């Protein structure tokens, strides 16, 4: 008896990703900055939730990836990524800088409001008490955000495949994209840069990189 093949999930187009991000930002979805990291930098869910404030350098526009949040045997663990190949220092574009500035400002406000009830973990993304976010809760938030944006529902891990196309649309230099995508050869990256995005899409994504106040 043959085993049925798993259907391949078609990743979002750049326009679907843009619609999703515009919706989340307009609604001031607290997870919008996390969605940006998944889509624009191609970070895995565990890497996003495990990102520490000390891993982010906004002045240099880069972050170090080396930790992850995972639920293992009923326990929520904050530990090193599985392989050295996963570890990297990634440069990031303006859209990520703007999103992280918003997130860190919200984080400071939440910590001040919670006061003595705050549980310090050093993480960028936390719940109201400062504790880590459950991966399953993030997936639920992502699914709800898809519905509100009226875009095709996909799993969080499937959106990572949209990252390369978004970098092209954002006019990120191939050498920088090579670092973000963690490619070992520039030729692999250049194959992606044969794609062309519309000017409307590029302008819309650029606006997402502007500060909310602008």
């Amino acid at each position: 008896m043959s085993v049925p093949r798993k259907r391949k999930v078609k990743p979002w187009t750049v326009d679907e990703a843009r619609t999703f991000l515009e919706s989340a930002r307009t609604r001031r979805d607290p997870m919008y900055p996390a969605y940006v990291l998944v889509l624009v930098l191609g970070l895995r869910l565990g890497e996003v939730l495990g990102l520490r404030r000390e891993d982010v350098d906004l002045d240099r526009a880069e972050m170090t990836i080396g930790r992850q949040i995972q639920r293992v045997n009923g326990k929520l663990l904050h530990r090193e990524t599985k392989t050295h190949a996963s570890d990297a220092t990634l440069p990031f574009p303006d859209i990520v800088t703007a999103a992280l500035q918003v997130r860190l400002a919200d984080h400071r406000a939440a910590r001040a409001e919670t006061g003595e009830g705050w549980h310090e973990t050093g993480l960028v993304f936390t719940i109201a008490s400062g504790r880590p976010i459950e991966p399953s809760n993030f997936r639920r938030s992502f699914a709800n955000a898809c519905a509100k944006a009226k875009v095709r529902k996909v799993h969080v891990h499937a959106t990572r495949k949209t990252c390369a196309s978004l970098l092209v649309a954002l006019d990120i230099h191939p050498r920088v994209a090579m670092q973000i995508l963690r490619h070992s050869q520039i030729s692999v990256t250049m194959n992606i840069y044969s794609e062309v995005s519309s000017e409307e899409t590029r302008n819309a994504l650029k606006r997402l990189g502007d500060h909310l106040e602008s």
Side-chain angles (χ1 to χ4, degrees):
M1 182 177 178
S2 61
V3 178
R5 287 184 185 177
K6 287 185 179 180
R7 291 181 60 187
K8 286 188 176 181
V9 178
K10 182 183 177 183
W12 275 344
T13 64
V14 169
D15 283 331
E16 285 175 311
R18 182 200 73 189
T19 299
F20 173 82
L21 290 175
E22 285 180 326
S23 169
R25 174 171 159 171
T26 301
R27 293 185 293 100
R28 292 301 299 270
D29 187 322
M31 288 294 100
Y32 166 71
Y35 304 152
V36 170
L37 296 190
V38 171
L39 281 162
V40 178
L41 297 185
L43 297 193
R44 297 171 179 83
L45 173 55
E47 292 173 337
V48 171
L49 299 185
L51 186 67
R52 300 169 299 182
R53 294 192 300 277
E54 67 185 73
D55 297 329
V56 178
D57 188 333
L58 289 178
D59 293 330
R60 295 174 62 89
E62 63 182 27
M63 66 177 64
T64 302
I65 305 302
R67 309 280 298 180
Q68 61 185 340
I69 289 285
Q70 287 185 321
R71 182 161 283 286
V72 180
N73 297 325
K75 294 182 180 180
L76 198 62
L77 304 178
H78 186 210
R79 59 186 187 178
E80 293 183 352
T81 48
K82 292 180 180 178
T83 65
H84 290 297
S86 300
D87 301 349
T89 297
L90 304 182
F92 50 78
D94 291 344
I95 184 175
V96 174
T97 301
L100 286 174
Q101 284 174 333
V102 170
R103 174 56 199 163
L104 293 174
D106 289 346
H107 194 281
R108 288 191 294 270
R111 185 167 48 185
E113 184 177 339
T114 304
E116 293 183 0
W118 182 262
H119 183 84
E120 185 56 60
T121 58
L123 296 171
V124 172
F125 298 100
T126 66
I127 60 175
S129 66
R131 296 180 184 276
I133 295 173
E134 282 278 356
S136 59
N137 288 343
F138 182 89
R139 293 188 190 96
R140 195 173 298 114
S141 296
F142 183 83
N144 289 337
C146 287
K148 289 175 180 177
K150 295 181 172 59
V151 295
R152 180 166 49 92
K153 183 180 176 182
V154 297
H155 292 294
V156 177
H157 64 81
T159 63
R160 295 182 67 243
K161 296 179 181 178
T162 307
C163 169
S165 299
L166 276 171
L167 293 176
V168 175
L170 285 163
D171 289 330
I172 301 303
H173 191 280
R175 284 287 177 187
V176 177
M178 177 184 174
Q179 289 179 265
I180 293 173
L181 296 169
R182 309 184 212 185
H183 289 161
S184 58
Q185 296 181 333
I186 189 66
S187 59
V188 177
T189 311
M190 291 310 297
N191 285 338
I192 298 164
Y193 271 69
S194 60
E195 300 180 26
V196 179
S197 301
S198 71
E199 184 176 356
E200 179 186 358
T201 295
R202 290 197 298 272
N203 288 338
L205 287 169
K206 185 178 182 301
R207 286 196 296 273
L208 287 173
D210 296 336
H211 296 290
L212 286 176
E213 292 79 14
S214 61

